[in-house]
Amino acid sequence: QVQLVESGGGLVKPGGYLRLSCAASGFTFSDYYMSWVRQAPGKGLEWVSHISSSGTMYYGDSVRGRFTISRDNGKNSVSLEMHSLRADDTAVYYCVRGTFLTGPDSWGQGTRVTVSS
Amino acid sequence: DIQMTQSPSSLSASVGDRVTITCRASQGIRNDLGWYQQKPGKAPTRLIYAASSLQSGVPSRFTGSGSGTEFTLTISSLQPEDLATYYCLQYHNSPFTFGQGTKVEIK
């Protein structure tokens, strides 16, 4: 079955750096785009970034220029490098699989990022 | 960016009631819309894709409809396990965008 397992979350100071990873299994990784979606405490869902199977990257306005998404089709993994972190980046970050035809379908359980001094 | 306006933000209904949630897109998105359910403390799961296609394993009391700019999620007979927050998501254009969410409570 499809499994998406996030890692790398934690506590970081404002202005700091963190790298999230998502290990995928149970499907042909290279057939899907991969995304990151976040949810701040008590808030709704926010699309962060996604990367197509061929490596084209897209970013939400709030993270463009600070976050970088990448994927390794050989290792079935996707990463999110987060620079210049701010308090409002505090959230649970979900790894999500999808296709452009039918949209996002499977979600990981999330990894928590807290930006605080 | 495409804006998704979802309503209502919350509702309270009784078991067996029919519940309707609406999403409006700021521009046409064909049928590139999904509906997601998020139960408290859990990751979201998909209910509907392509506006009206039921995700495998999802109860048939959930139906989606609409195209273009107006979309609806209907729960035909609300059950206690439907306590959750529901989100629409457009994947027609990047960046993808969510509605603000609808919190469904059971009376």
Side-chain angles (χ1 to χ4, degrees):
Chain A
Q1 73 280 21
V2 174
Q3 279 204 313
L4 300 168
V5 180
E6 302 95 336
S7 61
L11 175 64
V12 61
K13 289 181 168 53
Y17 166 87
L18 212 54
R19 184 175 188 266
L20 306 182
S21 296
C22 172
S25 61
F27 63 100
T28 303
F29 184 74
S30 57
D31 285 348
Y32 292 83
Y33 70 69
M34 298 300 297
S35 310
W36 290 94
V37 174
R38 69 184 181 184
Q39 186 169 36
K43 303 296 185 182
L45 300 170
E46 179 188 9
W47 199 270
V48 173
S49 177
H50 64 267
I51 184 167
S52 72
S53 56
S54 60
T56 304
M57 298 164 282
Y58 305 87
Y59 298 96
D61 292 342
S62 61
V63 306
R64 188 176 294 116
R66 299 187 299 123
F67 289 12
T68 302
I69 192 171
S70 61
R71 66 186 293 159
D72 185 333
N73 287 341
K75 294 183 178 179
N76 290 356
S77 67
V78 59
S79 297
L80 186 70
E81 290 188 273
M82 305 186 293
H83 296 265
S84 304
L85 282 161
R86 311 185 302 222
D88 62 359
D89 295 317
T90 294
V92 174
Y93 285 73
Y94 294 102
C95 175
V96 185
R97 180 191 86 161
T99 72
F100 285 108
L101 187 61
T102 63
D105 58 4
S106 299
W107 299 60
Q109 287 307 299
T111 186
R112 187 174 301 274
V113 172
T114 302
V115 183
S116 174
S117 54
Chain B
D1 299 359
I2 298 174
Q3 308 302 315
M4 301 301 296
T5 302
Q6 185 174 340
S7 62
S9 57
S10 65
L11 64 89
S12 181
S14 299
V15 171
D17 282 355
R18 183 182 185 89
V19 168
T20 299
I21 300 168
T22 298
C23 261
R24 175 177 293 131
S26 60
Q27 65 188 74
I29 59 170
R30 298 183 309 195
N31 68 337
D32 297 330
L33 182 118
W35 289 97
Y36 298 82
Q37 177 191 63
Q38 186 178 31
K39 295 186 176 181
K42 300 293 187 181
T45 59
R46 188 169 72 173
L47 300 173
I48 301 286
Y49 63 95
S52 60
S53 296
L54 189 68
Q55 177 73 28
S56 175
V58 172
S60 58
R61 64 179 179 275
F62 292 94
T63 58
S65 63
S67 182
T69 61
E70 297 281 340
F71 301 88
T72 300
L73 173 70
T74 300
I75 308 173
S76 60
S77 178
L78 190 68
Q79 299 302 303
E81 60 267 31
D82 299 336
L83 168 72
T85 301
Y86 295 82
Y87 296 90
C88 64
L89 167 72
Q90 71 80 19
Y91 49 89
H92 181 71
N93 275 357
S94 298
F96 299 170
T97 43
F98 289 94
Q100 298 91 332
T102 296
K103 186 174 184 178
V104 174
E105 298 177 328
I106 311 295
K107 280 184 186 175

